[in-house]
Amino acid sequence: MIAIGCDHGGFALKQEIMHWLTEKGWEYRDLGCYTEESCDYPVYGRAVAKAVTQGDCDFGIVICGTGIGISLAANKVPGIRAALCTDCFMAEASRQHNDANILALGGRVLGTGLALKIVETFLQTPFSGDERHVRRIRGIEELGN
Ligand code: RB5
């Protein structure tokens, strides 16, 4: 189960991603926003982050205009590793190296085709589990929030 959320700047891309997830057989929970009316990204970043840390969802996808604000918000929730990705290399590394549990995207940055490839790469790439990556992730956790 994927939790997905956005602000108005990510609304159009979220619609495309939800359509793609359905086509590919992924289940998702849409946590808003639900219109293109101006709204505040921390609300939706937090909602997606909580759905992931509470175990209701395996991964999250958050989208705002740049992906920056909503990833900053999601990363305030303990246990979240939200990765803002602008290409497939970053999406792959965010899973292999960082065990990212939320993918952040910029709706005003990426074209739909690239965004969907990034989503696919993120969802299909496992964490490597390598000791050095586990150690570094633990190091992030020790920094607290
Ligand atoms: C909204 O205009 C915009 O600031 C927001 O979507 C996002 O880009 C913030 O980081």
Side-chain angles (χ1 to χ4, degrees), residues 7-10 41 64-70 108:
D7 75 353
H8 53 289
Y41 55 77
C64 65
T66 58
I68 296 171
I70 204 161
R108 295 173 181 160

Side-chain angles (χ1 to χ4, degrees), residues 19 88 118:
H19 180 73
C88 294
I118 292 172

Side-chain angles (χ1 to χ4, degrees), residues 29 31 46-58 77-80 101:
R29 195 167 300 166
L31 299 176
R46 181 180 186 278
V48 170
K50 286 284 180 189
V52 172
T53 56
Q54 285 165 3
D56 304 334
C57 294
D58 309 294
V77 175
I80 288 302
N101 48 15

Side-chain angles (χ1 to χ4, degrees), residues 6-10 38-41 63-72 105-109:
C6 67
D7 75 353
H8 53 289
S38 180
C39 62
D40 296 339
Y41 55 77
I63 314 151
C64 65
T66 58
I68 296 171
I70 204 161
S71 61
L72 293 174
L105 299 170
R108 295 173 181 160
V109 178

Side-chain angles (χ1 to χ4, degrees), residues 87-134:
D87 60 39
C88 294
F89 179 81
M90 294 173 80
E92 187 179 65
S94 78
R95 291 288 308 125
Q96 286 178 340
H97 294 205
N98 313 115
D99 198 17
N101 48 15
I102 291 185
L103 170 66
L105 299 170
R108 295 173 181 160
V109 178
L110 301 170
T112 304
L114 176 57
L116 296 179
K117 274 286 168 202
I118 292 172
V119 170
E120 184 172 35
T121 303
F122 184 87
L123 294 177
Q124 287 182 350
T125 305
F127 176 48
S128 72
D130 289 351
E131 191 279 330
R132 69 184 189 285
H133 295 312
V134 172

